[in-house]
Amino acid sequence: DDYKDIPRGTAIFKDFVIWGYPHIGRIFLLETGLKEQFESPFWVEEKVDGYNTRIFKYGDNYYALSRGGFICPFTTDRLPDLIDLRILDENPDLVICAEVAGPENPYIEESPPYVKEDVKLFVFDFMRKNDQKFLSQEEKMELIERYNLPHVEVLGKFTTSEEDIRKIKEILKRFNEEGREGVVFKEDSERNKRAKYITSYANLMDIKTNTKNMLQLPPEYYTNRILRLVLFMYEEGLERTEHLYEELGRAFIDGIFKAIEQFEKEHKVYKTFTCKFRKKENAIALLELLSKTSKHIQVKERRLEKEGDYWRLEFDKVFLNMTGLLGHLLSGGIVYD
Amino acid sequence: DDYKDIPRGTAIFKDFVIWGYPHIGRIFLLETGLKEQFESPFWVEEKVDGYNTRIFKYGDNYYALSRGGFICPFTTDRLPDLIDLRILDENPDLVICAEVAGPENPYIEESPPYVKEDVKLFVFDFMRKNDQKFLSQEEKMELIERYNLPHVEVLGKFTTSEEDIRKIKEILKRFNEEGREGVVFKEDSERNKRAKYITSYANLMDIKTNTKNMLQLPPEYYTNRILRLVLFMYEEGLERTEHLYEELGRAFIDGIFKAIEQFEKEHKVYKTFTCKFRKKENAIALLELLSKTSKHIQVKERRLEKEGDYWRLEFDKVFLNMTGLLGHLLSGGIVYD
């Protein structure tokens, strides 16, 4: 995690440093939160439900860093499919900050509704090597346009006026219905203050998709998401949000039910991931990286085969603690708590 | 907690040791669990929703220990109202293990539906000083009858036959409807194996009544209770348990909603407890004990007044972390998670 003033994910190379992408704080109440946090107009951008990456050029090659600061073999492998990198040839000190999202990624189960296959990349910031600051919104949009880069949806510049708050709430209502994760607010000022807000849809999906992994989650994982949901209901009024009672119950229960059914059939609790690579060695490197980084998850290759111009990788993440606990409970075991 | 082979709550006196009351393991599936855990017929007793105490005589006085091994000033003070202690005069080496439950206790909010005021005591085991073993069911019932002691309901001796499992499920169905916590199974054998099973009602109540305190609960608190609920639904069939979806959501959401409303009105999140004492100094000792034992809870006396033959104590437990977090969130604060 962060170490003193050095954000998690900071990567040190021979000639330069790439700073970690900073955490963005979350507001739980939209109206009160925006009014409290922002002094000047701010940009509203979609927060895409994927994983964070930073892309840079080193020598003649392009690399993609994971949030944690490792070279990501999957993203690095697929860069030519995801983004036109002439921008880095002409601006070798730039670092592209982007979200990679879609159903075929090796990290997370969730994906935005409008990415129907494989993965897509969405630029949302630029940094420079050795520099912790972001480029301004103007510089960013100028680069995105000049190089025709894929980017997150920018919904406009807003203030905390009644009128604008109403518009932002409408955007979030629509995002919620469309199954999108939320938005990031970026103040259009020197201090470039930022905050994010997540839809109820995404809070519930987080609870549901992570149940197989629930025994490894930090203690505040559930309490935080439930608090977000309740504060949303509080802000919007109970009458309009009553359906969330049952949806919250379902989010918890359905996920565990599926884990039980899977265990009954296959004697383990796991999720299958699939993604494709240009080079076979990158697929192998990814499996090694995943195996190394979690001791609670066993990574099992299912297949790695040539498929057209790509290598198709399919693998399981076996959740060892959940597998063990369900095995114990379903055979009538006793738990001391 | 437990230290090597010494159970939590073990108390050492000059002339003797009183062993801690051992943890009783929990089964999550009734039928499979009973069949797996029990080799011989077992007694089924009600598990009363209160707090555990061990009562003994020391010199000329009677004392009640808390689960954790402290002398409990409340229980000790009220012993003459709760139980006839001639049994300890005639058997000074006995230790009475009992649950104290009711709406006017200083520890927990929950109470069994049939205790309408104050507290009542329910004997469920006997130990001897210096001895970790329990007396047998026969010896226990004999003592309870001879001294006419209040005790937990004993529902009978059962086996794991189809017929008996059906009867036990019926008991638990009734307990669930009546808002009772669950049952303890005690094998009628030398090894005296034990296990407990908790109703869905009690699992949901645990979630609901503990939300004000949710930030201090151990990480497995919620995951455990949700797992219990889902395994109950799994064992009983979804069709018959569908209502639990919404009830689980309500358990989480309603508790937090109440905390928010309380914070909006009074700028703190707290619960009020009331109980009565025979002696004023015991009320003061209780407040001191409660203050000492939790750093996350502030104990605030509301009143301590003579009321008939008793001293009426009313006090608040202020949940500092929840108060702080809600204060931060409701004023639009940012959280980094």
Side-chain angles (χ1 to χ4, degrees):
Chain A
D1 218 330
D2 295 356
Y3 176 72
K4 293 182 180 168
D5 285 340
I6 303 169
R8 167 171 178 257
T10 299
I12 298 170
F13 298 87
K14 211 169 48 188
D15 311 322
F16 57 88
V17 169
I18 296 189
W19 285 90
Y21 192 85
H23 290 287
I24 295 182
R26 181 190 308 276
I27 50 173
F28 284 54
L29 288 178
L30 196 61
E31 181 161 358
T32 322
L34 288 175
K35 286 180 176 163
E36 177 69 21
Q37 300 300 330
F38 293 100
E39 299 164 353
S40 316
F42 48 85
W43 294 93
V44 178
E45 297 185 351
E46 179 176 7
K47 181 176 189 320
V48 175
D49 204 353
Y51 62 89
N52 179 300
T53 188
R54 284 158 292 147
I55 303 159
F56 62 98
K57 190 168 184 183
Y58 186 35
D60 288 334
N61 297 311
Y62 311 104
Y63 296 95
L65 287 176
S66 70
R67 184 80 191 241
F70 296 102
I71 298 284
C72 168
F74 172 69
T75 321
T76 301
D77 178 277
R78 298 295 308 281
L79 280 176
D81 301 325
L82 298 173
I83 184 169
D84 180 348
L85 289 174
R86 271 174 307 170
I87 180 175
L88 295 185
D89 302 334
E90 293 171 22
N91 310 272
D93 63 332
L94 276 186
V95 177
I96 304 170
C97 306
E99 198 83 357
V100 176
E104 292 182 10
N105 83 75
Y107 299 117
I108 63 166
E109 200 180 344
E110 288 143 298
S111 99
Y114 45 79
V115 184
K116 302 290 185 204
E117 52 170 34
D118 200 8
V119 286
K120 284 192 166 29
L121 181 145
F122 305 89
V123 175
F124 52 74
D125 268 315
F126 291 102
M127 299 196 287
R128 293 188 190 283
K129 286 171 180 165
N130 303 313
D131 194 348
Q132 229 177 327
K133 279 209 320 283
F134 294 115
L135 267 55
S136 72
Q137 188 79 6
E138 271 176 347
E139 295 168 296
K140 173 174 89 179
M141 293 315 296
E142 205 268 314
L143 285 168
I144 282 175
E145 260 172 56
R146 187 175 348 143
Y147 293 99
N148 193 26
L149 302 177
H151 60 91
V152 301
E153 188 178 340
V154 180
L155 294 132
K157 192 151 88 172
F158 296 84
T159 67
T160 53
S161 69
E162 292 304 304
E163 171 67 7
D164 277 9
I165 296 276
R166 202 184 47 72
K167 280 188 198 156
I168 294 168
K169 284 196 174 179
E170 261 164 37
I171 291 165
L172 279 160
K173 188 161 180 286
R174 177 166 61 83
F175 273 24
N176 191 51
E177 286 159 7
E178 293 171 358
R180 291 159 82 174
E181 192 186 14
V183 294
V184 178
F185 307 101
K186 298 176 172 175
E187 194 173 83
D188 196 24
S189 67
E190 183 54 35
R191 64 173 193 152
N192 192 7
K193 174 91 182 222
R194 291 162 174 221
K196 62 186 172 187
Y197 185 87
I198 307 301
T199 60
S200 306
Y201 170 85
N203 286 325
L204 289 169
M205 279 301 282
D206 278 356
I207 291 174
K208 184 181 283 180
T209 59
N210 273 305
T211 38
K212 286 184 180 173
N213 196 26
M214 74 195 295
L215 302 172
Q216 271 81 256
L217 298 173
E220 67 282 7
Y221 186 87
Y222 288 116
T223 49
N224 250 330
R225 278 162 184 77
I226 296 166
L227 267 171
R228 291 183 211 159
L229 208 63
V230 175
L231 283 164
F232 170 74
M233 296 170 81
Y234 170 77
E235 188 169 22
E236 290 301 309
L238 251 187
E239 326 72 59
R240 271 185 291 173
T241 52
E242 252 195 341
H243 57 97
L244 290 173
Y245 283 118
E246 185 171 343
E247 286 176 29
L248 176 60
R250 282 201 179 270
F252 277 114
I253 292 169
D254 286 349
I256 301 179
F257 241 100
K258 275 187 200 144
I260 293 175
E261 284 172 0
Q262 191 180 50
F263 184 90
E264 288 282 9
K265 242 187 289 178
E266 313 192 46
H267 301 290
K268 59 187 176 185
V269 178
Y270 67 92
K271 281 184 195 173
T272 303
F273 289 79
T274 183
C275 50
K276 58 187 195 181
F277 291 81
R278 304 167 77 92
K279 289 192 184 137
K280 188 178 181 184
E281 69 248 39
N282 285 330
I284 293 165
L286 174 83
L287 288 178
E288 276 168 13
L289 180 69
L290 290 176
S291 296
K292 256 195 327 217
T293 45
S294 174
K295 55 183 167 147
H296 300 295
I297 290 172
Q298 192 192 354
V299 177
K300 282 190 72 172
E301 183 184 319
R302 276 182 175 259
R303 67 184 183 105
L304 175 55
E305 294 168 354
K306 193 85 182 162
E307 217 181 70
D309 292 337
Y310 290 90
W311 287 86
R312 167 66 57 185
L313 172 67
E314 234 180 80
F315 65 97
D316 294 339
K317 291 182 190 170
V318 183
F319 300 99
L320 300 175
N321 292 6
M322 195 57 147
T323 298
L325 180 60
L326 282 187
H328 182 67
L329 294 180
L330 291 171
S331 64
I334 266 186
V335 171
Y336 292 87
D337 50 15
Chain B
D1 219 330
D2 294 356
Y3 176 72
K4 293 183 180 166
D5 285 340
I6 303 170
R8 168 173 177 255
T10 299
I12 298 169
F13 298 88
K14 210 167 50 187
D15 312 322
F16 56 88
V17 169
I18 296 189
W19 286 89
Y21 192 85
H23 291 287
I24 295 182
R26 181 191 307 277
I27 50 174
F28 284 54
L29 288 178
L30 196 61
E31 181 161 358
T32 322
L34 288 176
K35 287 181 175 162
E36 176 69 20
Q37 300 300 330
F38 293 100
E39 299 164 354
S40 317
F42 48 85
W43 293 93
V44 178
E45 297 184 351
E46 179 177 6
K47 182 177 189 320
V48 175
D49 204 353
Y51 62 89
N52 179 299
T53 188
R54 284 159 292 148
I55 303 159
F56 63 99
K57 190 167 183 184
Y58 186 35
D60 288 334
N61 297 311
Y62 310 105
Y63 296 95
L65 287 176
S66 70
R67 184 82 192 240
F70 296 102
I71 299 284
C72 168
F74 172 68
T75 321
T76 301
D77 178 277
R78 298 295 308 281
L79 280 177
D81 301 325
L82 298 173
I83 183 168
D84 180 349
L85 289 175
R86 271 175 308 169
I87 180 174
L88 295 185
D89 301 336
E90 294 172 21
N91 310 271
D93 63 331
L94 276 186
V95 177
I96 304 170
C97 305
E99 198 83 358
V100 176
E104 292 182 12
N105 83 75
Y107 298 118
I108 63 165
E109 201 180 342
E110 287 142 299
S111 98
Y114 45 79
V115 184
K116 302 290 185 205
E117 52 170 33
D118 200 6
V119 286
K120 284 193 167 28
L121 181 144
F122 305 89
V123 175
F124 53 74
D125 268 315
F126 291 101
M127 299 196 288
R128 293 190 190 281
K129 287 171 181 167
N130 302 314
D131 194 348
Q132 229 177 328
K133 278 210 320 283
F134 294 115
L135 267 55
S136 73
Q137 189 78 8
E138 272 175 347
E139 295 168 295
K140 174 175 89 180
M141 293 315 296
E142 205 268 313
L143 285 168
I144 283 175
E145 261 173 56
R146 183 169 356 137
Y147 292 99
N148 193 24
L149 303 177
H151 60 91
V152 300
E153 188 178 341
V154 180
L155 294 133
K157 192 150 90 172
F158 296 84
T159 68
T160 53
S161 69
E162 291 304 304
E163 170 67 6
D164 276 10
I165 296 277
R166 202 185 47 71
K167 280 188 199 156
I168 294 168
K169 283 196 175 179
E170 260 165 38
I171 291 166
L172 279 160
K173 188 162 179 284
R174 177 166 61 84
F175 273 24
N176 191 51
E177 286 159 8
E178 293 171 358
R180 291 158 82 174
E181 193 187 13
V183 294
V184 178
F185 307 101
K186 298 176 172 175
E187 195 173 82
D188 196 24
S189 67
E190 182 53 37
R191 64 172 193 153
N192 192 6
K193 173 92 182 221
R194 292 163 173 221
K196 61 185 173 186
Y197 185 87
I198 307 302
T199 61
S200 306
Y201 170 85
N203 286 325
L204 289 169
M205 278 302 281
D206 278 357
I207 291 174
K208 185 181 282 180
T209 59
N210 273 305
T211 37
K212 286 184 178 172
N213 196 26
M214 74 195 295
L215 302 172
Q216 270 82 255
L217 297 173
E220 66 281 7
Y221 186 87
Y222 288 116
T223 49
N224 251 330
R225 279 162 183 77
I226 296 166
L227 267 171
R228 291 183 211 159
L229 208 63
V230 175
L231 283 164
F232 170 74
M233 296 170 80
Y234 169 76
E235 188 170 21
E236 290 301 308
L238 250 188
E239 327 72 59
R240 272 185 290 173
T241 51
E242 252 195 341
H243 57 98
L244 289 173
Y245 283 118
E246 185 171 343
E247 285 176 30
L248 176 60
R250 282 201 179 270
F252 277 115
I253 293 169
D254 286 349
I256 302 178
F257 241 100
K258 274 188 201 143
I260 293 175
E261 283 172 1
Q262 191 180 51
F263 183 90
E264 288 283 9
K265 242 187 289 177
E266 312 192 47
H267 301 290
K268 59 186 175 187
V269 178
Y270 67 93
K271 282 185 195 173
T272 303
F273 289 79
T274 183
C275 50
K276 59 186 194 182
F277 291 80
R278 303 168 78 91
K279 290 193 184 135
K280 188 178 180 185
E281 69 248 40
N282 286 329
I284 293 165
L286 174 82
L287 288 178
E288 276 167 13
L289 180 69
L290 290 175
S291 296
K292 256 197 325 218
T293 45
S294 175
K295 55 184 169 148
H296 300 295
I297 290 173
Q298 193 192 352
V299 177
K300 282 190 73 172
E301 183 184 320
R302 275 180 176 262
R303 67 182 182 105
L304 175 55
E305 292 168 356
K306 193 85 180 160
E307 218 181 68
D309 292 338
Y310 289 90
W311 287 86
R312 167 66 57 186
L313 173 66
E314 233 181 80
F315 65 96
D316 293 339
K317 291 183 190 169
V318 183
F319 300 99
L320 299 175
N321 292 7
M322 195 57 147
T323 298
L325 179 60
L326 282 187
H328 182 67
L329 294 179
L330 291 171
S331 64
I334 266 186
V335 171
Y336 292 86
D337 50 16

